[in-house]
Amino acid sequence: MAKHDSDLDRIFSALGDPTRRAIFARLSRGPASVSELAGPHDIALPTFLGHLKKLEMSGLVETSKKGRVRVCRVSPEAFAPAQSWLDEQRRLWETRLEQFDNFAINLAKDRQR
């Protein structure tokens, strides 16, 4: 897991902002131009481009240029380290909750005796 720590830091930092989460959510539906992505956000273009750059630096978003249009898309494998970490946390907590449930059941049985 240690090799993914810096990847996780970048991914969660990038997704730690509501504007960047909205951009990522929009791109999860398919590629879009920068102007299309910026449209719904009431912020200056340089500020918006800063958000986009953070997503690119995290590896979550890729951009390419077609003529004068910059097209953005989600990088398919970039979320994998975060997904693995989240899956690991889910398994850990499911195990802990199952153990707690068993403890509570056994405690209740002991009190009934």
Side-chain angles (χ1 to χ4, degrees):
M1 181 53 73
K3 69 178 181 171
H4 294 295
D5 286 348
S6 62
D7 293 339
L8 286 174
D9 292 346
R10 283 191 298 272
I11 291 168
F12 285 125
S13 176
L15 295 175
D17 180 87
T19 300
R20 291 191 291 271
R21 286 193 303 273
I23 295 166
F24 186 75
R26 167 52 192 88
L27 289 175
S28 67
R29 296 191 315 266
S33 68
V34 171
S35 59
E36 181 183 342
L37 290 171
H41 303 281
D42 190 25
I43 56 177
L45 187 59
T47 303
F48 181 82
L49 291 174
H51 285 297
L52 193 55
K53 183 163 183 73
K54 181 118 182 182
L55 286 166
E56 285 182 274
M57 292 179 70
S58 73
L60 291 170
V61 171
E62 302 171 340
T63 62
S64 60
K65 232 173 165 186
K66 291 184 180 178
R68 295 178 55 177
V69 177
R70 191 167 160 203
V71 177
C72 306
R73 67 187 44 78
V74 169
S75 179
E77 296 300 317
F79 196 71
Q83 187 64 53
S84 295
W85 185 84
L86 290 168
D87 289 343
E88 184 179 315
Q89 297 307 305
R90 182 178 29 81
R91 282 190 300 273
L92 174 74
W93 282 101
E94 285 174 351
T95 300
R96 287 180 180 177
L97 290 172
E98 186 177 311
Q99 290 170 345
F100 180 72
D101 192 37
N102 290 337
F103 173 76
I105 290 169
N106 289 332
L107 186 61
K109 286 179 183 176
D110 288 347
R111 287 191 177 179
Q112 287 178 350
R113 290 185 212 154

